[in-house]
């Protein structure tokens, strides 16, 4: 109950400045499941007024006020007790039940028991009926209390509030006066007396305290000698007790006078208290009327203050409505006429539109909208708004159409400088209408949403004509001819490229001319991109300002991150973060600019195709220029971080990279599929020379480039294809030694890469050196056997026998490798014959080796070292396998060195 009381006080009544006095759990008759709580509360401020409040409990155990009645409106309280006896019987029976729960039963006199049997037991049978009570306001509310005690306490509180605040204006029926006032009946007094006596009787015997027990033990010790004679001991104790009783009686008799005086004083005090109570009762009756009058005066004052407050609030609301819902005549005329023909009238319309927006955005209570004047004013505002919207949209649309139909100057004589058109005048014409566009966006977003589309549709036609004329002029600057000969200029390079897709002029003058053409492509393409940047940036800034299509910083970061991922996945990790995925949803700004510049990307791609056709390796210049331009625009402070031109250039860059990779793939395929002529006499292969020319030209083009990822990949692919083409030489059935050709080409590639010092080709450079050394060794071994062919075959057989397990000293006993056979072979190679064979070998090597590589000294030196090694090996085999035979070759080591020197010195 305490928890319920505190919850109601804290959650329900304290916020409303009410104080809870009493509560009772009730339900309506026949609806016991719907339990409610009736509460009696009073105001915590003056004038204090009592209220009856009905509280309900919802499913979330939250208390909510269901209804509230002022207690002054209560007319009748019906306690539903049938008669006085039944009320008293129920009252006594309730007391018995309560005492029974407490395990204490009152001691009743026979008269009380008889009375309970006659009335109390009948009250028990009718106790459920006594839980009901009625409260009559404008209608009668019938309630059933959860317990008789709650009902009794609730009615008693009602009775007190009635006498204190309502001057006994509430009538009470079937409620005994003693129950309402909280007094007990005589029977209850007697019951309490009997209970007290019975409790005293029950409390006669008490257990001894420790002190009493100690005294008894002490007494027994003093009369220990008498303990054997119990009769004498009892008589002794009785005599002592009699002496004590006589002393007590004497003390009582001596203090009788004092007791009489005390009793008389108490009687006088009681009489004085009775007189004071009577006096207080008289004063209370006198003050009762004064209190009522003061409460009435206080109530009238509060009503007066409320009237004054209501008048003040009403005046404030009227001033608020008249101030915020009134539009001046000048503004009404400006909106009605919608004259936008001059700057001053445009400013007047802007001021009027802003004033109208302020009036229409005023927050007013829903009830005010039902007032006729307010409704008429709002209807007038809506009419002015719709009429001005229609007029403004028609006016701005006509301006869009006029700008879209502007004629582009004819493409006449070529100009000295390539320049893109400027729309600064068009933007200046539309900027004064920006405030009205903002007003339209706030008042009618649906109509505003169509204006950017109308603008894009009209301006796209103008930009299409201007961009096409601009790129035609750029093509003329690139080709140096009139428009009529453009097709002829584009067909000639195509024919040459079909013959040799990557061939460059062989002479130095031709290569310089090619570089000059490449520089022209780069210069014109850079100028085209520089002219397009301010054109697109100015248009984007104007659209952002005029149509309020600004993007948040978070959106820009998401756009840049997704663009970077797209560039990395489609091209290389070094791509600038400006490319945009095709599958990404377009922002309103991007979508609008895409529609305005619908032909920009197509025309730019067409111009890049012309650049690729003008020069055999024009795709290199295009790739480098686009990369550098995008990096420059991205790092420029004047360029927008989400510029539309960056997106277009990013997409174009992806296309340029795709074209470049496709071009490199075609070159690699041509290199791998090229067939070598069977009559080829050696030297440097065409694919190696072409690779050298390509690397030289590309390195010159990429010398100032900010990134070279695509070029490094191209170099690796081309060089791998060149290696593959060189490796396919043994299958070409050449008339010359393939090891010699491969040795020369790998040596040439190694020397070239050492000169260029290209970091990405370091691995290929080491591979070229390794392959050059391998083929040099094979070439030397192949030609080394020609001067001493039979001797070489003989000792090869000797080494084979030894390898098969024949002992070295037993090799001479083999018929084919006997000492006689060895002497016959040695006799065939005297010193003069060896010298003549070496000279023939030198002339043969000199004939087939390419003079530009200057490998003859290297090869001949390798021949000399290998020949000396072979001679020493032959001498060693003779010493081991033919020991003691006295067989020696016809020439010595010194003779052999003199032979080589005599051949080398005259040809140096």
């Amino acid at each position: 109950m305490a928890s319920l009381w505190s919850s109601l006080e804290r959650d329900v009544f304290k916020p409303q400045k009410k104080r809870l006095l009493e509560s009772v759990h009730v339900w309506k008759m026949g609806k016991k499941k719907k339990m409610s709580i009736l509460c009696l509360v009073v105001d915590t401020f003056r004038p204090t007024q009592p209220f009856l409040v009905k509280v309900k409990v919802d499913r979330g155990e939250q208390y909510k006020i269901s209804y509230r009645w002022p207690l002054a409106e209560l007319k009748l309280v019906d306690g539903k007790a049938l008669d006085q006896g039944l009320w008293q019987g129920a009252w006594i029976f309730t007391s018995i039940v309560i005492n029974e729960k407490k395990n204490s039963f009152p001691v009743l006199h026979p008269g009380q028991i008889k009375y309970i049997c006659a009335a109390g037991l009948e009250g028990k049978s009718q106790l459920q009926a006594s839980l009901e009570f009625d409260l009559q306001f404008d209608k009668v509310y019938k309630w059933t209390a959860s317990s008789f005690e709650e009902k009794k306490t609730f009615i008693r509180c009602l009775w007190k509030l009635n006498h204190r605040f309502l001057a006994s204006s509430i009538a009470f029926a079937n409620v005994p006066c003693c129950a309402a006032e909280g007094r007990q009946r005589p029977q209850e007094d007697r019951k309490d007396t009997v209970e007290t006596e019975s409790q005293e009787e029950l409390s006669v015997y008490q257990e001894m305290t420790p002190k009493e027990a100690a005294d008894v033990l002490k007494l027994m010790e003093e009369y220990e000698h008498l303990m054997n004679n119990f009769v004498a001991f009892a008589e002794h104790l009785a005599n002592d007790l009699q002496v004590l009783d006589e002393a007590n009686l004497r003390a009582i008799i001596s203090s009788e006078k004092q007791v009489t005086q005390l009793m008389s004083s108490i009687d006088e005090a009681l009489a004085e208290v009775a007189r004071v109570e009577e006096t207080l009762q008289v004063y209370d009756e006198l003050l009762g009327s004064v209190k009522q009058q003061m409460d009435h005066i206080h109530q009238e004052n509060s009503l007066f203050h409320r009237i004054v407050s209501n008048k003040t609030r009403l005046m404030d609301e009227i001033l608020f409505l008249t101030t915020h819902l009134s539009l001046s005549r000048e503004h009404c005329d400006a909106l009605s006429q919608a004259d936008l023909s001059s700057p001053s009238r445009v400013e007047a319309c802007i001021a009027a539109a802003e004033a109208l927006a302020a009036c229409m955005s005023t927050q007013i209570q829903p009830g005010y909208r039902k007032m006729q004047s307010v409704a008429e004013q709002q209807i007038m505002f809506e009419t002015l708004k719709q009429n001005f919207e229609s007029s403004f949209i028609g006016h701005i649309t006509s301006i869009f159409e006029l700008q879209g139909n502007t004629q582009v100057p004819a493409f006449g004589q070529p100009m000295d400088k390539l320049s893109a058109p400027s729309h600064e005048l068009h933007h200046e014409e539309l900027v004064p209408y920006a405030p009205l566009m903002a007003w339209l966006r706030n008042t009618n977003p649906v109509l505003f949403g169509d204006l950017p589309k109308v603008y894009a549709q009209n301006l796209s036609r103008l930009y299409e004509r201007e961009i096409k004329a601009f790129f035609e002029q750029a093509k003329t600057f690139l080709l140096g001819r009139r428009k009529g000969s453009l097709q002829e200029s584009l067909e000639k390079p195509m024919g040459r490229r079909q013959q040799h897709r990557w061939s460059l002029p062989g002479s130095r003058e031709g290569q310089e001319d090619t570089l000059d053409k490449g520089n022209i492509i780069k210069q014109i393409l850079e100028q085209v991109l520089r002219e397009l940047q301010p054109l697109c940036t100015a248009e984007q800034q104007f659209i952002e300002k005029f149509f309020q299509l600004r993007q948040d910083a978070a959106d820009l970061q998401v756009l840049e991150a997704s663009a970077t991922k797209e560039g990395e996945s489609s091209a290389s990790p070094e791509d600038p973060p400006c490319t945009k995925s095709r599958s990404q949803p377009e922002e309103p700004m991007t979508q609008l600019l895409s529609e305005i510049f619908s032909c920009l990307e197509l025309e730019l791609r067409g111009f890049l195709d012309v650049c690729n056709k003008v020069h055999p390796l024009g795709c290199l210049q295009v790739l480098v220029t686009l990369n550098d331009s995008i990096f420059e625009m991205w790092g420029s402070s004047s360029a927008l971080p989400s510029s539309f031109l960056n997106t277009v250039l990013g997409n174009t860059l992806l296309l340029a990279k795709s074209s470049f990779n496709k071009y490199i793939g075609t070159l690699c395929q041509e290199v791998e599929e090229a067939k070598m002529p069977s009559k080829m006499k050696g030297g440097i292969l065409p694919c190696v020379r072409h690779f050298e020319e390509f690397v030289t030209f590309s390195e010159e083009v990429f010398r100032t480039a900010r990134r070279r990822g695509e070029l490094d990949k191209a170099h690796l692919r081309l060089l791998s294809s060149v290696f593959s083409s060189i490796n396919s030489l043994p299958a070409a059935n050449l008339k010359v030694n393939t090891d010699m050709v491969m040795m020369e080409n790998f040596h040439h590639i190694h020397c070239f890469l050492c000169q260029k010092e290209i970091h990405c080709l370091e691995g290929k450079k080491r591979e070229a050196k390794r392959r050059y050394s391998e083929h040099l060794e094979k070439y030397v071994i192949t030609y080394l056997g020609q001067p001493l062919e039979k001797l070489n075959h003989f000792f090869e057989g000797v080494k084979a026998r030894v390898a098969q397990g024949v002992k070295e000293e037993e090799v001479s006993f083999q018929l084919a490798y006997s000492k006689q056979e060895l002497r016959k072979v040695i006799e065939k190679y005297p010193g003069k014959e060896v010298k003549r064979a070496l000279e023939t070998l030198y002339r043969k090597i000199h004939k087939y080796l390419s003079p530009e590589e200057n490998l003859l000294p290297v090869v001949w030196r390798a021949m000399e070292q290998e020949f000396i090694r072979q001679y020493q090996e032959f001498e060693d085999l003779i010493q081991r396998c033919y020991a003691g035979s006295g067989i020696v070759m016809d020439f010595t080591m010194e003779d052999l060195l003199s032979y080589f020197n005599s051949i080398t010195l005259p040809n140096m």
Side-chain angles (χ1 to χ4, degrees):
M1 186 67 182
S3 176
L4 173 64
W5 188 283
S6 60
S7 298
L8 291 173
E9 183 79 20
R10 180 183 66 253
D11 300 335
V12 180
F13 298 116
K14 189 174 181 179
Q16 298 185 1
K17 296 183 179 180
K18 298 286 191 287
R19 182 164 60 89
L20 178 62
L21 299 179
E22 194 56 63
S23 65
V24 58
H25 289 77
V26 298
W27 62 86
K28 290 186 178 180
M29 295 181 64
K31 299 181 179 179
K32 186 173 181 180
K33 293 183 179 180
K34 296 183 178 180
M35 180 74 72
S36 302
I37 304 175
L38 289 181
C39 301
L40 292 173
V41 299
V42 294
D43 294 329
T44 57
F45 54 86
R46 297 190 65 84
T48 305
Q49 294 184 1
F51 294 92
L52 176 65
V53 180
K54 178 182 176 183
V55 179
K56 286 187 176 181
V57 184
D58 58 9
R59 295 182 180 178
E61 298 298 328
Q62 298 292 329
Y63 298 103
K64 294 183 179 180
I65 295 178
S66 175
Y67 203 82
R68 184 177 67 175
W69 300 273
L71 210 58
E73 298 179 2
L74 181 61
K75 300 177 182 178
L76 176 64
V77 177
D78 189 352
K80 290 291 185 178
L82 299 180
D83 55 17
Q84 188 78 7
L86 180 60
W87 182 275
Q88 186 174 0
W91 193 285
I92 297 174
F93 185 79
T94 303
S95 302
I96 294 174
V97 172
I98 293 173
N99 291 324
E100 182 180 358
K101 293 181 180 179
K102 296 179 180 179
N103 295 324
S104 63
F105 298 91
V107 179
L108 303 177
H109 293 285
Q112 291 177 319
I113 297 174
K114 183 178 180 181
Y115 182 79
I116 292 173
C117 293
L121 295 178
E122 183 181 0
K124 179 179 179 181
S125 63
Q126 299 295 331
L127 184 58
Q128 181 64 28
S130 68
L131 296 178
E132 300 175 0
F133 63 95
D134 297 345
L135 300 179
Q136 181 179 351
F137 291 92
D138 293 337
K139 66 177 183 178
V140 178
Y141 295 90
K142 297 181 180 294
W143 305 99
T144 301
S146 61
S147 67
F148 184 77
E149 282 296 325
E150 287 189 2
K151 171 186 173 182
K152 181 177 66 173
T153 307
F154 183 75
I155 293 177
R156 182 185 301 161
C157 186
L158 274 175
W159 186 85
K160 291 180 179 180
L161 292 175
N162 178 38
H163 281 271
R164 182 175 179 180
F165 294 101
L166 305 175
S168 302
S169 62
I170 303 175
F172 287 80
N174 297 323
V175 178
C177 181
C178 59
E181 295 178 1
R183 297 195 302 271
Q184 293 184 343
R185 296 181 174 275
Q187 291 85 348
E188 295 180 3
D189 296 338
R190 290 193 297 271
K191 178 187 69 175
D192 295 340
T193 304
V194 172
E195 289 180 356
T196 304
E197 292 176 356
S198 63
Q199 291 176 359
E200 290 177 355
E201 292 176 357
L202 292 174
S203 62
V204 169
Y205 173 77
Q206 294 180 355
E207 184 179 359
M208 288 190 300
T209 63
K211 185 176 183 303
E212 292 174 347
D215 293 339
V216 171
L217 292 175
K218 183 178 180 182
L219 179 65
M220 292 176 69
E221 290 176 356
E222 291 178 359
Y223 297 97
E224 184 176 2
H225 60 279
L226 298 176
M227 290 298 294
N228 296 326
N229 190 355
F230 290 101
V231 176
F233 182 68
E235 290 179 356
H236 180 75
L237 292 178
N239 294 332
D240 292 341
L241 182 61
Q242 185 177 1
V243 172
L244 292 175
D245 288 341
E246 290 177 357
N248 289 336
L249 289 173
R250 290 190 187 96
I252 292 172
I253 293 171
S254 62
S255 61
E256 181 179 3
K257 183 177 180 180
Q258 297 175 356
V259 173
T260 304
Q261 292 176 356
L262 178 62
M263 295 299 295
S264 61
S265 300
I266 293 174
D267 292 339
E268 292 176 359
L270 291 175
E272 187 65 25
V273 168
R275 287 195 300 272
V276 171
E277 288 181 352
E278 291 177 358
T279 304
L280 291 176
Q281 185 68 25
V282 173
Y283 290 162
D284 187 48
E285 292 177 356
L286 294 176
L287 291 176
S289 60
V290 176
K291 178 179 177 298
Q292 293 179 359
Q293 294 175 4
M294 292 300 296
D295 291 341
H296 182 69
I297 293 173
H298 191 279
Q299 185 175 5
E300 288 183 352
N301 289 336
S302 63
L303 293 176
F304 176 74
H305 288 299
R306 186 174 299 177
I307 292 172
V308 173
S309 176
N310 291 338
K311 287 183 178 179
T312 304
R313 292 179 59 187
L314 179 60
M315 183 59 65
D316 293 340
E317 293 296 330
I318 292 174
L319 292 175
F320 174 79
L321 293 176
T322 55
T323 303
H324 292 82
L325 296 183
S326 60
L327 195 64
S328 65
R329 175 54 55 186
E330 293 79 6
H331 291 164
C332 292
D333 295 339
L335 294 174
S336 300
Q337 297 174 4
D339 188 359
L340 302 171
S341 58
S342 62
S344 59
R345 294 180 179 178
V346 170
E347 292 179 359
C349 291
I350 292 173
E354 292 176 352
L356 178 62
C359 293
M360 297 187 69
S361 62
T362 302
Q363 298 294 331
I364 59 176
Q365 299 181 9
Y368 291 163
R369 301 181 185 277
K370 299 179 181 180
M371 299 173 62
Q372 182 178 358
S373 58
V374 175
E376 291 177 355
Q377 198 75 356
Q378 289 183 338
I379 292 173
M380 182 191 71
F381 292 159
E382 187 65 27
T383 303
L384 289 174
K385 181 179 78 71
Q386 293 179 0
N387 294 337
F388 185 72
E389 285 175 354
S390 178
S391 301
F392 173 67
I393 291 174
H395 180 78
I396 202 71
T397 302
S398 63
I399 295 177
F400 293 162
E401 292 176 352
L402 289 175
Q403 291 185 357
N405 295 328
T406 303
Q407 296 297 324
V408 180
F411 183 61
Q413 294 296 328
M415 302 170 59
D416 295 336
K417 183 180 179 181
L418 183 64
S419 61
S422 175
H423 283 216
E424 184 177 359
L425 296 178
H426 295 166
H427 296 164
E428 291 178 355
E429 183 181 3
L430 292 173
V431 164
Y433 300 99
L436 293 178
M437 293 294 294
W439 169 81
L440 182 62
R441 180 182 184 182
N442 296 329
T443 57
N444 198 333
V446 177
L447 293 179
F448 175 82
D450 295 333
L451 288 180
K453 300 177 183 178
V454 176
Y455 176 82
Q457 290 174 359
N458 288 278
L459 269 295
S460 62
R461 299 196 301 269
L462 175 61
Y463 273 110
E464 183 176 2
R465 295 192 297 268
E466 292 178 343
I467 290 174
K468 286 184 178 180
F470 173 72
F471 278 104
E472 289 295 332
Q473 185 182 6
K475 292 175 184 178
T476 303
F477 272 87
L478 180 63
L479 300 176
R481 291 179 173 85
R482 296 296 305 126
K483 182 178 179 181
S485 60
L486 289 180
Q487 188 66 24
E488 178 183 355
S489 301
L490 296 177
E491 290 175 355
K492 291 182 179 180
M494 282 295 294
R496 291 196 300 269
R497 286 183 64 186
Q498 290 177 0
Q499 296 176 1
H500 298 286
R501 185 175 298 274
W502 64 344
S503 62
L504 295 174
S507 63
R508 185 176 183 85
E509 293 79 7
Q511 292 182 1
E512 292 178 355
D513 181 64
T514 302
L515 290 174
D516 292 340
K517 289 183 178 179
N519 292 332
I520 292 174
I521 293 176
K522 181 178 181 181
Q523 293 174 2
I524 295 179
L525 182 57
E526 287 179 349
Q527 189 173 1
V528 168
L529 297 179
R530 283 197 300 268
E531 292 295 328
L532 289 178
Q533 180 182 359
L535 178 67
C536 297
T537 303
E539 186 64 33
Q540 180 173 347
Q541 291 176 345
F542 169 74
I543 289 176
E544 287 181 355
K545 180 180 180 181
F546 191 71
F547 293 105
Q548 291 86 38
L549 297 177
R550 297 186 180 274
Q551 297 176 341
D552 297 335
D555 296 337
L556 295 182
Q557 294 176 359
V558 171
L559 178 63
E560 294 171 12
S562 62
T564 305
K565 291 181 180 179
E566 176 67 19
E568 291 176 353
S569 61
S570 60
S572 67
E574 299 182 13
D575 286 345
C578 61
T579 56
K580 182 178 180 181
S581 174
R582 293 290 187 183
S583 61
Q584 182 181 355
E586 292 186 341
E587 297 291 339
M589 170 65 71
T590 306
Q591 185 177 2
L592 189 60
L593 289 172
S594 299
E595 186 175 355
I596 294 175
F597 297 102
S598 58
C599 66
L600 176 59
E601 189 169 347
L602 295 177
E603 292 293 330
L604 183 57
R605 291 185 180 185
F607 179 72
L608 296 182
D609 290 339
V610 173
C611 294
N612 293 336
K613 295 175 182 179
V614 167
H615 191 274
L617 296 177
C619 56
L620 281 174
Q621 289 286 5
V622 171
L623 183 61
V624 173
T625 306
L626 283 177
N627 263 319
D628 293 345
S629 298
I630 290 176
F631 273 108
E632 182 179 356
M633 289 182 183
W634 192 258
S636 176
S637 59
S638 60
L640 297 177
S642 61
S643 173
F644 171 77
L645 182 60
N646 285 346
T647 304
V648 173
L649 293 182
N651 297 332
T652 309
L653 177 61
L654 294 180
L655 180 63
K657 290 179 180 179
S658 177
S659 301
F660 177 72
N661 293 332
K662 183 178 180 182
Y663 176 77
I664 296 299
T666 305
L667 294 182
C668 294
Q669 184 178 0
E670 290 180 357
V671 170
E672 295 173 357
E673 295 178 355
K675 294 183 179 181
M676 300 297 174
S678 58
K679 297 182 179 180
M680 180 179 177
K681 295 182 179 181
I684 306 303
L685 298 178
C687 61
V688 177
R689 296 194 179 278
H690 294 332
F691 172 75
E692 180 181 357
E693 295 171 358
F694 175 82
V695 170
T696 303
F697 179 78
S698 61
E699 287 296 324
E700 180 64 25
V701 172
F702 276 81
R703 182 170 52 84
T704 59
R706 299 192 180 187
R707 60 168 302 276
R708 48 177 297 134
E710 295 299 322
L711 181 62
D712 291 342
K713 292 180 180 180
H715 285 168
L716 287 173
R717 290 180 62 186
L718 281 175
L719 190 53
S720 299
S721 298
V722 172
F723 279 17
S724 177
S725 178
I726 297 175
N727 293 334
S728 65
L729 287 178
N733 298 322
L734 299 178
K735 293 183 178 180
V736 295
N737 187 283
T738 56
D739 288 323
M740 180 191 69
V741 178
M742 297 173 72
M743 173 193 66
E744 288 182 327
N745 284 276
F746 281 119
H747 178 266
H748 184 81
I749 292 174
H750 176 263
C751 294
F752 175 73
L753 295 180
C754 290
Q755 293 175 2
K756 293 300 181 182
E757 297 181 354
I758 301 175
H759 180 71
C760 68
L761 299 179
E762 287 295 326
K764 293 293 183 180
K765 182 176 70 173
R766 291 190 293 270
E767 181 181 357
K769 183 178 181 181
R770 180 179 58 82
R771 298 290 298 278
Y772 154 70
S773 300
E774 291 176 358
H775 290 287
L776 174 61
E777 183 179 358
K778 291 180 181 180
Y779 178 70
V780 170
I781 293 174
T782 301
Y783 276 85
L784 190 61
Q786 294 181 3
L788 306 174
E789 183 176 2
K790 294 181 179 181
L791 189 62
N792 189 28
H793 287 316
F794 182 85
F795 282 108
E796 288 292 335
V798 172
K799 290 191 291 184
R801 291 297 185 274
V802 174
Q804 291 174 1
V806 179
K807 295 183 178 180
E808 294 180 351
E809 59 271 14
E810 295 179 358
V811 173
S812 61
F813 297 102
Q814 299 285 332
L815 184 61
Y817 301 101
S818 63
K819 298 177 182 179
Q820 292 79 9
E821 292 295 328
L822 176 60
R823 287 189 180 97
K824 292 179 182 180
V825 174
I826 291 177
E827 289 177 356
K828 294 180 181 181
Y829 293 100
K832 293 181 180 180
E833 186 63 28
V834 172
K835 182 178 180 182
R836 189 182 304 112
L838 290 175
E839 290 176 349
T840 304
L841 178 62
Y842 183 84
R843 288 193 296 269
K844 189 175 181 180
I845 295 174
H846 184 269
K847 177 181 179 182
Y848 288 106
L849 282 178
S850 175
E852 61 179 321
E853 291 301 312
N854 196 22
L855 288 177
L856 180 59
V858 178
V859 174
W860 188 247
R861 178 63 178 171
M863 285 285 188
E864 179 181 358
Q865 293 176 355
E866 184 64 24
F867 199 88
I868 292 173
R869 186 195 64 79
Q870 194 176 40
Y871 174 81
Q872 292 174 350
E873 183 180 7
F874 293 165
E875 287 286 340
D876 182 63
L877 287 174
I878 292 173
Q879 292 295 330
R880 289 188 288 113
C881 298
Y882 302 94
S885 63
I887 301 174
V888 293
M889 287 192 289
D890 189 50
F891 53 92
T892 62
M893 178 68 71
E894 290 76 9
D895 295 336
L896 189 60
L897 292 175
S898 65
Y899 297 159
F900 276 100
N901 290 333
S902 62
I903 296 172
T904 305
L905 292 176
N907 294 281
M908 290 182 61

